[in-house]
Amino acid sequence: MLKTKELQSDTHVYTCNVAMNSFVIDYKGNMLPCMKLRHKGINLLTHSFDYIWEQFSIYKKYEASEKNKCKKCDAVYFCDSCPAEMDAKYGDMEVVDCTKCKVAKIRKAFYCGEVDYDEALKQADL
């Protein structure tokens, strides 16, 4: 579980590779730091690539606040909560959907051998 400890000690909101080594260009010419950040695109027709890439560097700098419960969670490695999705949905990249927390904890228990497949499904109410 080395990766779990790494993620728990990471103080940033975005622990993915957002705007580090790839980007997306949509049909309107907007450059996006990732597909899930469509609402944060900057138009390539009105701004240079270098300018936009520099603007996107902010995503790796956002520090998690004390309210960010993901940073204290031992199931963070198994979670698919995305700050970009939370920002688009709630206007706050640090909000966490509790359903995702439940699923992450079940995944952790399953992959760590704490529960079998049937028990994991039962816990998920499937």
Side-chain angles (χ1 to χ4, degrees):
M1 291 289 107
L2 178 63
K3 185 70 172 171
T4 301
K5 295 297 180 198
E6 274 179 41
L7 286 172
Q8 282 180 298
S9 65
D10 190 339
T11 61
H12 298 94
V13 174
Y14 288 89
T15 57
C16 59
N17 290 328
V18 67
M20 286 184 61
N21 54 18
S22 63
F23 58 90
V24 177
I25 299 174
D26 73 11
Y27 70 98
K28 294 180 179 178
N30 294 314
M31 187 168 149
L32 321 170
C34 107
M35 269 315 271
K36 293 182 178 181
L37 283 165
R38 290 182 201 128
H39 61 293
K40 301 291 184 175
I42 302 173
N43 196 279
L44 270 167
L45 300 174
T46 57
H47 296 88
S48 72
F49 174 87
D50 290 337
Y51 169 81
I52 297 170
W53 193 250
E54 179 61 33
Q55 299 305 304
F56 289 170
S57 69
I58 192 70
Y59 292 98
K60 291 312 287 182
K61 297 175 185 169
Y62 284 127
E63 292 284 331
S65 69
E66 286 301 312
K67 75 176 185 175
N68 190 314
K69 63 185 194 176
C70 297
K71 300 305 167 192
K72 298 172 187 84
C73 180
D74 66 348
V76 68
Y77 180 73
F78 302 93
C79 190
D80 62 358
S81 183
C82 172
E85 288 177 13
M86 298 302 107
D87 186 40
K89 189 171 182 179
Y90 302 108
D92 185 346
M93 63 189 148
E94 293 190 79
V95 168
V96 178
D97 181 337
C98 292
T99 304
K100 292 184 184 274
C101 295
K102 178 182 178 183
V103 171
K105 290 176 182 183
I106 294 167
R107 280 188 192 130
K108 177 185 179 280
F110 175 73
Y111 286 111
C112 291
E114 298 165 10
V115 298
D116 63 18
Y117 183 76
D118 292 327
E119 179 59 27
L121 287 178
K122 188 190 313 182
Q123 288 180 18
D125 296 327
L126 297 176

